[in-house]
Amino acid sequence: MPNTFYTPPGYSGSAQLTASTGLTINAQGRWRFSQQGYNDRITFGLSLGWPDTAYNGEFDYGSPGAQVKPLSGGLLSLSATNWTIPVIGNTLQSYTDPDTLITYPATQCRIQIQGQWQVSRQQNSNSYNSFGVIYDGVTETDLGSRISKPNLLSYNTTYATYTIQGVDVTGGAIDTFSGHEFFCRVTEATSSKNSNNEFQSNTVTSPVFAYTYSMSWEIL
């Protein structure tokens, strides 16, 4: 007989984990927010090409004012561990059914997250001058990775489920969420089919962990 769980109204929903909702930016390389047409604090823009000039020594691509070949964007790295789940939170709770007045203790509570990484990678449609560019990139996440070569490829991982549940739930106390590191790492390098190697590449990427959440109580 299958286990029966009760999810009260308002105890489930969907959300996104992004750079503006809990992902920590560990490394950014040349990637920047707010490229032309994008100001959502989710999308990162990257401009590569030759020739170019270093920006006051901010980047590790040469001395200030020196001519450099910014053919690589460096590493864009984001991660989060034990981030706060919206609405329901991360802590097992008790619940009293207002209709039956039955109270389900926190030991019968289960929190579940089910989600996938949805990492969009594409040329910037608001600044489309990346014709003839060859790309060599990787999208790496805790749920898998994908190579982008010679073209940029978006990447949707498989779905995964993470659970926090109380000791009286079937299977006993489980927590596969709190210690799990959710991460996305992106690299991108460019070259050109042009014989003189003069080109400009403007691209964007949006690392998003899209998920559903629920808090339920097992009816024993």
Side-chain angles (χ1 to χ4, degrees):
M1 182 177 179
N3 302 333
T4 301
F5 284 87
Y6 173 59
T7 305
Y11 283 76
S12 63
S14 60
Q16 293 183 335
L17 180 66
T18 70
S20 63
T21 60
L23 284 174
T24 298
I25 302 174
N26 304 309
Q28 200 166 342
R30 294 179 66 93
W31 302 84
R32 292 293 178 266
F33 280 128
S34 302
Q35 296 290 309
Q36 183 178 355
Y38 296 91
N39 297 281
D40 55 9
R41 303 294 294 178
I42 298 174
T43 303
F44 292 82
L46 177 65
S47 295
L48 299 175
W50 166 252
D52 194 14
T53 303
Y55 298 97
N56 300 321
E58 179 183 359
F59 304 110
D60 229 351
Y61 295 88
S63 60
Q67 288 293 109
V68 296
K69 290 186 176 181
L71 302 179
S72 172
L75 174 65
L76 174 62
S77 174
L78 304 97
S79 67
T81 302
N82 200 26
W83 37 274
T84 301
I85 304 168
V87 182
I88 61 174
N90 301 31
T91 304
L92 299 174
Q93 305 175 26
S94 62
Y95 175 77
T96 299
D97 189 321
D99 297 323
T100 65
L101 299 182
I102 295 174
T103 296
Y104 301 97
T107 56
Q108 292 174 223
C109 182
R110 182 183 71 180
I111 297 170
Q112 280 199 325
I113 293 286
Q114 184 180 59
Q116 67 170 174
W117 282 100
Q118 299 173 356
V119 187
S120 173
R121 300 190 65 172
Q122 62 187 19
Q123 292 174 332
N124 189 344
S125 59
N126 294 296
S127 183
Y128 193 79
N129 58 352
S130 304
F131 295 102
V133 177
I134 302 170
Y135 293 97
D136 186 357
V138 175
T139 303
E140 181 185 8
T141 76
D142 51 291
L143 295 178
S145 60
R146 185 176 195 181
I147 295 173
S148 290
K149 184 179 181 178
N151 301 310
L152 289 178
L153 298 172
S154 295
Y155 181 42
N156 289 350
T157 68
T158 56
Y159 283 91
T161 301
Y162 307 90
T163 301
I164 306 172
Q165 68 180 39
V167 66
D168 290 333
V169 177
T170 300
I174 295 173
D175 187 350
T176 60
F177 173 80
S178 301
H180 181 80
E181 182 184 23
F182 296 78
F183 70 83
C184 180
R185 301 170 187 141
V186 174
T187 61
E188 185 171 314
T190 56
S191 60
S192 174
K193 297 177 182 178
N194 299 333
S195 59
N196 59 7
N197 264 348
E198 292 187 5
F199 68 95
Q200 179 68 30
S201 168
N202 295 319
T203 61
V204 290
T205 185
S206 301
V208 173
F209 184 77
Y211 63 94
T212 59
Y213 59 85
S214 65
M215 179 177 283
S216 308
W217 285 263
E218 186 173 16
I219 301 176
L220 302 176

